[in-house]
Every structure is written in C-alpha cells, then in structure tokens.
Amino acid sequence: MDDVRAVCYIRQSKKREDDSQGSPIAQRERCAAMIASKGWDHAGVFEDIGKSGWDPRVSRPGFEEMMTAVRAGEVDAVVVFALSRLTRQGALEAMRIIDELQKHGVTLVSVEEPYLDTSTPVGVGILAIIAGLAQQESDMKSAFITATKSTLRDMGSHVSGRPPYGFTSERVEKGKVTVVRLVPHETEAAHVRWMVQQIREGMSLHAIAVKLNSRQIPTQVMGMGEKGERILAARRRAGRANSEEGKPAAWRAGNIARILRDPRLAGFAAVWEGRVFPSTDEQGNRVPGKGGKRVVQRDVDGKPMSVHEPIIPPAEWWALQDILDGRTPVVARSGKRVPSLLAGYGLFLCGVCGGPMVVDRRADTMLYRCNGPKDESHGGLAIKMDVVDDEVARRTWDRLTAMDPSDPEDIEWLAEAAERFALQHETGERAEELAVVRSELEHVRGALETLYDDREAGDYDGPTGTARFREANKRLQAHEQRLMERVTELDTSITTGVTIPSDWTDVEGDVVGPGSPWSRMNLTEKRAFLNFFIDRVTADKSVGRGRNANTRDRVKIQWASPPVQAEDDDPESVKNA
C-alpha cells in the first residue's frame, strides 16, 4: 500500500487527560507512531472524548465525521488504539463498521491488536472474535456496576448523580462498604427550611417560587457555575428547560414540590416508585415514560431507613406531607394579613363549599368571607367577625363550665381535649415520637392502599407477582400493627393523669368577660384553646339581612372528637392474598 492516507480515531468514556495507557494523549501518540512505522501519511485525528462506546443512544460526532470522510474517499486506513475504542457493542456492530470501511476500500488497524488485518478473511474472523470479547468485557463491567449499585441502594446509599437540592455528600465507611451519605448544604438547606416554614404558614408553591425568583435565589443548576450553564443548555435543546434563552433557570412550583416531597429531607433513604423509562413498542413507536416519585425506603421489617443527616426533623417532614396531600387544611395567605381568631389555620370553613374563610374589610366592618370562587351556590359568603368570634368562644366556655360528668358525650369530649392539651404541653421525646409514629402510620396505610390498587390493575399477575404481593402485604401489615401498638402505648404514657387546668371549668360570671381566663389569653393562646375543644367551625348562608340576619344561628361548631378508625384500617380485616 503506497501513499496511504491514514487517520486516527480516539475515544475515551471519561472526559479527562491523565498518564494512563488508555488516555487520549497516549492513544494519539501510539496511533501516530503506528502510522509512522508503516510509512503512511498522517491525514488527521478524529476524537470522541467523554463518549460511551457501549450506549447506542450516545452521539459520537468524531466517529460520524470520520465516516463522512471515509464515504467521501478521503481515507485509506483507520488506526485505533484498540478495537474497544471503536465500539463496545459487540461483533455485530464491529462487523457493520468493518463492512462499510471495506466497501470504501479502507483498512482498519489496531495498535494493541497488530495481528488484525481486515484485508484478509482470517484477519476479519479474528476481528469478530476480539469484538465479541470486547462486548463480553463491557457486559461484565456493566453487570458488576449494576450489582454494586444495587447493594449500595439496599443500604440506603446515595448512588449516582448530584446530591438533591439542599444537600452535599460525604463518603463514610459502613462495615466493609463505602456509602455516600447526604449532609445539609450550608446555604441551600437554609432555603429549604424557609420553604417548609412558608408552606406551614399557608403560602402556595407558586407564591414561594415567585418569592425565590424575586430574591434572586439561584436554583441548583444556576449554583453550579459553568457546568450548570452546560446542563441548562442541554435541557433547552431537549425542550425541558424552565427558562428562556439567555435567562437563568427560574424556580417553578413543580421544582419546589419535588424538593419538599423528597424523603431525604428527613434523613430517610429514598427509592423510586412508579418510574418508567421511555421505550419503543413493536411498531417502532416511541412510548413515553413516567416520572414516578421518590418514597421512603424501608428495611425488611418495613421501618424507614434513616441514613442521611436530615434538614428537618422526621416529624416535621411527615406533617409537611399531610399539608401537601391536603390532609391538613391551610389558608392561602394574602399580601395583607390581618390577625384574627379563626381565619388562617384551617379551623373556620365555608358551610356551603367547604372553602377556607379569610379576613375581609368592608367600610369599617371586619368580616370573615369565603375564599372560594363566587358562584350561584353562595355568591361570596361573608359574616361579621366580632359576632362569630364571640359566639364560638361563648359556646365553648358554656359547654365546658356546664359539663355533665355522667354524660358519655361530655366525658369523651373532655378526654379528647385533655389528650390534645397534654400533647401540646408535653415537650419530651415521647410526644415527638408519637407525632412521627402517627404520621408514619397514615403513610403506611396509604402504601397498603397503593399496593391493593396496583394488584387490581394487574401489576402483580403471575406466580412471581403474587409472591411479591404477599411479601409486601405481609411486611406492611406487620409494620402497621407495630405502629398502632406504639401509638396506643405512647398515648397512654403521655395522657395518663393529665387533665386540663381546673380554672377552665370553674369560671364564674361572664365566661368571656373581664377577669375571665379567656380575657387573660393572647390571640395565640386563644387559638390553641379552641383547637383543644373544636375540630371545625362553619358558617351557613344568611337567611335574612340587616336586623333580620340570623348571624349567630349561621355559626356551626363541630366539637373535638377522637379520629374515627375505619373498619378497613383494622389489620385483621385486610385479607392476606
């Protein structure tokens, strides 16, 4: 072969320059030496740095540019450091490349495998064997990495990718294994705690996003400097960016929801649930994937795995999920907040639509009004604030001071109030544990419901699916039973011998007048007091107007009562499949 125009093809999966034998520098030098030793003309170098030779979805612009030159008749020989640099997809892919090279009269030469000569049938056969070994090596490495990641996941380790917003990572020894533990990021964790506080005070996710953007708090991507800019550019090309070209990434309600839903905020390990990657059906049509969600990772006994350093306490995170799920009602707050006895924390609702009642001012009159949309059902229901406040307070104190110790309803009502009082004033570890256990119990029951729904949808069909269903069902039910027993135990230990203050039941004269216990309380104490004895206050539509308005009659009180446990909540009633 005279006047051979030879080019080098260089590839490395990791984007780095080092002194290893497989580094881009070493590959360039060795390939150039091979070309010189054969007396060929060095016609150029094509490179793909940071590109996988295994993943068929990865674009290799250097390889494609080289093949364009081959097809244009500008190349006579291609020199690679090793066949694995050309492809790791196995013999079939290697032969496809070699066939195209041969079709254009191009020879393939390997520095590390000099016995390969694609100009002879024997050389092509040997090349096919080497390509198969390259695929086997890649598959073994992939299987090893997958198995290692699975082991680390089982231990609750953060496995791959950058830490979630609010965290940084550290490596710690756990037995003979090194795991990645998440620890709060000094700056980002403070922003997360602020988000949590705003949610608890009634601010919406959208309002939080607006506030963060107005304060120019950088998102996680924007806090990564040049690397973040590259990530954002890639997202824009893929149509997944949440900001326009030339503008920084902006906060969105969805971003904040994902952050606050993440179990790792409470130090729990997390696993994906319901996540499905995009695929292609038999006709070649693209099937979109599903995002899924992160859920608490549990051990073999069903208990949450606590492996990371939390940003917020577990009890606070469970309570946060209740708010996000709508189990704990909150009022979306406005820019001008007016302190009130009943509005702003989910106690006072519209008796027509169930929406929250908020504070309103008309002329010099303070009102509570429905915060829901105005429609034919009530047209913006409103009621005088001072009348409602007085009515609710008087009815509560009247019932409390007229308690009948022989009335079962009064006994149950007072017992529930006493328990709530005890929980609010108990500052020990038992009260915190009780809050955590109760919240976790609700989520375990939710997990059971999801399990049964998935089974009805056919997700556990077949012998293997049935076995997995039974195992998960048994584990969750056992954990539910343990939690229920612990709740009972903690309830008893906290509330035994605890009663409400005696001066609450021995009021003489005007129960809310000057000198009464009620008059000595500040607004926060009054709110807490009502929450001991009341579950909900509602306001009905007005029947008359002006002097004929039945304002006090419109006020309805739902007295405090213990949570009702549905029959389905009884583990004995849940069928073991």
Side-chain angles (χ1 to χ4, degrees):
M1 297 177 65
D2 298 324
D3 299 323
V4 175
R5 297 164 297 174
V7 299
C8 304
Y9 176 67
I10 310 300
R11 184 189 64 78
Q12 187 180 45
S13 296
K14 299 292 185 181
K15 187 175 284 188
R16 64 190 180 205
E17 296 279 355
D18 53 35
D19 58 358
S20 68
Q21 290 297 307
S23 73
I25 293 176
Q27 290 185 55
R28 284 191 290 267
E29 292 176 349
R30 297 285 296 279
C31 288
M34 170 68 77
I35 292 173
S37 68
K38 290 182 175 292
W40 294 345
D41 294 330
H42 197 316
V45 177
F46 299 92
E47 294 186 345
D48 285 312
I49 308 302
K51 302 291 184 180
S52 170
W54 175 86
D55 192 343
R57 298 172 298 179
V58 172
S59 172
R60 293 195 284 166
F63 176 80
E64 295 300 333
E65 186 180 355
M66 179 188 73
M67 294 305 296
T68 298
V70 167
R71 297 179 188 113
E74 301 171 356
V75 177
D76 299 313
V78 172
V79 180
V80 294
F81 176 72
L83 181 61
S84 62
R85 300 303 90 195
L86 186 67
T87 179
R88 279 186 177 272
Q89 294 181 44
L92 185 62
E93 175 65 13
M95 293 307 299
R96 185 190 68 78
I97 297 173
I98 293 168
D99 284 344
E100 185 165 7
L101 292 176
Q102 288 183 324
K103 183 172 68 174
H104 294 284
V106 177
T107 298
L108 177 67
V109 178
S110 169
V111 174
E112 288 290 280
E113 299 110 349
Y115 45 81
L116 296 180
D117 182 355
T118 61
S119 64
T120 67
V122 174
V124 173
I126 294 175
L127 185 63
I129 295 174
I130 298 299
L133 293 175
Q135 181 187 32
Q136 183 180 31
E137 176 191 353
S138 180
D139 290 345
M140 290 176 64
K141 181 179 179 181
S142 177
F144 173 76
I145 292 174
T146 300
T148 301
K149 286 185 175 180
S150 178
T151 299
L152 293 173
R153 286 193 184 97
D154 291 342
M155 299 177 70
S157 172
H158 177 68
V159 175
S160 59
R162 60 180 180 271
Y165 185 84
F167 286 100
T168 184
S169 61
E170 64 179 15
R171 295 183 179 275
V172 295
E173 299 296 326
K174 196 171 183 179
K176 296 183 179 180
V177 179
T178 301
V179 299
V180 178
R181 178 173 180 259
L182 300 175
V183 295
H185 186 282
E186 183 177 359
T187 303
E188 294 178 352
H191 297 320
V192 172
R193 295 187 187 101
W194 178 84
M195 296 178 200
V196 173
Q197 182 62 32
Q198 302 316 300
I199 289 292
R200 294 181 64 183
E201 292 182 2
M203 184 180 285
S204 68
L205 294 170
H206 174 72
I208 292 175
V210 171
K211 184 72 71 173
L212 290 171
N213 289 327
S214 67
R215 293 180 178 178
Q216 298 184 339
I217 303 298
T219 62
Q220 186 177 44
V221 170
M222 297 312 299
M224 297 169 64
E226 293 184 1
K227 182 178 180 180
E229 291 288 353
R230 291 195 297 270
I231 293 174
L232 188 58
R235 288 179 180 176
R236 288 197 179 104
R237 289 194 295 270
R240 296 187 296 107
N242 60 0
S243 64
E244 301 176 3
E245 188 72 32
K247 293 184 178 181
W251 289 96
R252 295 288 187 269
N255 307 134
I256 297 167
R258 281 191 293 273
I259 291 172
L260 301 182
R261 289 285 192 181
D262 198 325
R264 292 173 291 185
L265 290 188
F268 298 134
V271 293
W272 281 102
E273 180 181 87
R275 192 178 192 183
V276 179
F277 290 98
S279 60
T280 305
D281 60 19
E282 296 178 356
Q283 288 74 38
N285 300 318
R286 180 176 173 81
V287 179
K290 296 180 181 178
K293 62 179 181 179
R294 284 189 175 90
V295 298
V296 175
Q297 183 175 351
R298 300 177 182 276
D299 61 19
V300 293
D301 295 323
K303 298 179 181 179
M305 296 177 62
S306 298
V307 296
H308 307 299
E309 183 178 334
I311 291 178
I312 60 175
E316 188 172 347
W317 184 80
W318 288 115
L320 176 66
Q321 305 316 299
D322 288 339
I323 295 175
L324 296 174
D325 290 336
R327 286 194 291 267
T328 300
V330 295
V331 175
R333 61 187 190 181
S334 61
K336 297 179 180 180
R337 301 186 67 192
V338 178
S340 65
L341 179 64
L342 301 177
Y345 61 110
L347 182 68
F348 193 19
L349 304 178
C350 174
V352 178
C353 69
M357 300 290 284
V358 297
V359 176
D360 193 12
R361 182 192 295 273
R362 295 180 185 175
D364 295 327
T365 304
M366 296 299 298
L367 304 171
Y368 291 121
R369 65 170 176 82
C370 176
N371 198 35
K374 295 182 179 180
D375 53 34
E376 296 179 358
S377 64
H378 56 62
L381 182 148
I383 190 169
K384 289 185 177 181
M385 178 188 292
D386 58 348
V387 176
V388 176
D389 290 352
D390 184 75
E391 184 68 14
V392 171
R394 286 187 180 280
R395 286 195 207 172
T396 304
W397 283 100
D398 285 343
R399 182 176 181 185
L400 186 57
T401 55
M403 279 280 302
D404 183 354
S406 63
D407 187 337
E409 291 186 3
D410 280 355
I411 294 173
E412 182 181 57
W413 177 61
L414 192 61
E416 175 64 18
E419 180 175 348
R420 296 182 184 187
F421 178 81
L423 289 174
Q424 175 139 343
H425 290 78
E426 170 67 42
T427 58
E429 295 182 357
R430 291 178 299 173
E432 180 179 353
E433 182 184 356
L434 179 59
V436 173
V437 172
R438 278 180 167 169
S439 296
E440 187 180 341
L441 179 58
E442 291 298 320
H443 285 263
V444 168
R445 288 171 175 166
L448 279 168
E449 291 179 3
T450 301
L451 182 69
Y452 300 144
D453 290 343
D454 290 345
R455 191 191 186 200
E456 289 182 2
D459 291 352
Y460 291 96
D461 291 346
T464 302
T466 299
R468 288 184 59 195
F469 171 82
R470 287 176 174 172
E471 179 184 354
N473 187 33
K474 181 179 179 181
R475 183 176 68 252
L476 287 172
Q477 283 197 32
H479 190 48
E480 180 189 32
Q481 181 62 37
R482 286 193 295 270
L483 291 172
M484 291 172 63
E485 293 172 354
R486 186 57 178 159
V487 166
T488 301
E489 180 182 345
L490 290 169
D491 268 338
T492 303
S493 65
I494 291 175
T495 60
T496 299
V498 177
T499 59
I500 62 175
S502 59
D503 61 347
W504 288 4
T505 58
D506 297 329
V507 181
E508 296 182 359
D510 188 349
V511 290
V512 297
S516 65
W518 178 257
S519 68
R520 294 192 295 268
M521 296 179 184
N522 59 34
L523 182 60
T524 301
E525 292 169 338
K526 288 179 177 179
R527 282 184 162 195
F529 173 86
L530 293 179
N531 275 283
F532 298 146
F533 299 99
I534 295 175
D535 280 339
R536 193 79 73 239
V537 177
T538 58
D540 294 339
K541 290 178 64 176
S542 175
V543 175
R545 292 181 177 275
R547 295 180 179 179
N548 297 320
N550 61 332
T551 304
R552 292 185 180 272
D553 294 337
R554 295 169 59 192
V555 178
K556 301 293 187 290
I557 296 178
Q558 180 181 327
W559 299 109
S561 61
V564 177
Q565 179 172 305
E567 292 183 2
D568 289 343
D569 289 342
D570 183 358
E572 298 300 325
S573 69
V574 181
K575 295 181 180 179
N576 288 306

